[in-house]
Amino acid sequence: MLSAMAATGLTLSLLFAPEASSTADVVPPGKITVDVVTVNGSGCPAGTAAVAVSDDNTSFTVTYSDYTAQAGSGSTPTQFRKNCQLNLRVHYPQGFTFGIAKADYRGFAHLPGGARGTQRASYYFAGQSSTVTSTHNIAAPTSDNWQFTDSTDVAEIVFAPCGAVRHLNVNTEVRAFTNASNQPAFVSMDSTDGSVRTRYQFAWKRC
């Protein structure tokens, strides 16, 4: 299952910061690979999340295909919240390390008047206390695509320790809340073509 999950999917692109020479125009040579160590959560059942690395080693994409929270008529009480926890191992040449500088989250929401939705995300390296977390509200009424972008100042980027193997944990969540009339409402981490893509932009740094 893991080999199939590593074949496609969340795009992580390199973010260049001209004022930070340590991260500007730095791209590790050779092949970068990403292994999905574990995947858990109601938003990513087995076989519905996948990872692929770009040819230029500056990005990778995780795609979801069954990531929808729903509430209101026709929904069960537990369906209002869906989440996914990915534990990733990034393989890259010695002498480099990376951190997340920017994240783009995309999806679709159908929320009648009085309903509401939220999207939440966090990431951290195993063994480190620094965690970046964000929460976004989706306004109602709406029946349209949504997109949120989280940016981190260059000085505040959390890099993986040089010379140490640390797995990257990516946790995401969507929630849907109905209105007083109990009308159907849902929030998907996906796009109109039925696939879900979350994009993380990385900054590389020489150790």
Side-chain angles (χ1 to χ4, degrees):
M1 180 182 70
L2 295 184
S3 59
M5 295 171 68
T8 180
L10 159 46
T11 297
L12 299 167
S13 300
L14 184 65
L15 177 67
F16 294 120
E19 68 273 22
S21 59
S22 62
T23 60
D25 300 323
V26 175
V27 179
K31 182 67 176 178
I32 307 297
T33 61
V34 178
D35 294 333
V36 180
V37 181
T38 59
V39 54
N40 294 290
S42 55
C44 50
T48 66
V51 178
V53 181
S54 66
D55 292 337
D56 60 4
N57 294 338
T58 63
S59 66
F60 72 83
T61 300
V62 177
T63 299
Y64 306 95
S65 60
D66 187 16
Y67 201 161
T68 300
Q70 58 188 46
S73 179
S75 303
T76 64
T78 60
Q79 289 179 306
F80 85 99
R81 175 185 179 272
K82 291 297 179 69
N83 77 299
C84 185
Q85 300 180 6
L86 293 173
N87 183 272
L88 308 174
R89 168 75 185 276
V90 182
H91 300 269
Y92 50 92
Q94 291 184 350
F96 292 87
T97 186
F98 70 93
I100 299 176
K102 185 178 179 182
D104 297 315
Y105 301 94
R106 304 172 185 268
F108 187 90
H110 173 76
L111 299 170
R116 61 188 177 94
T118 62
Q119 178 269 329
R120 186 175 186 273
S122 65
Y123 63 86
Y124 62 94
F125 291 102
Q128 290 187 265
S129 59
S130 299
T131 301
V132 178
T133 303
S134 65
T135 300
H136 300 281
N137 296 316
I138 304 171
T142 186
S143 187
D144 202 353
N145 294 312
W146 56 263
Q147 178 179 344
F148 298 115
T149 298
D150 300 325
S151 298
T152 304
D153 292 338
V154 174
E156 297 177 355
I157 295 175
V158 178
F159 286 93
C162 286
V165 176
R166 295 291 175 86
H167 292 180
L168 174 65
N169 293 282
V170 178
N171 301 326
T172 55
E173 173 188 295
V174 290
R175 297 191 184 202
F177 302 90
T178 187
N179 54 19
S181 300
N182 202 38
Q183 290 179 280
F186 69 85
V187 176
S188 294
M189 188 100 77
D190 71 2
S191 57
T192 54
D193 63 4
S195 65
V196 182
R197 292 189 175 187
T198 301
R199 172 181 173 130
Y200 291 87
Q201 297 188 351
F202 279 64
W204 290 99
K205 184 175 71 171
R206 295 183 185 276
C207 292

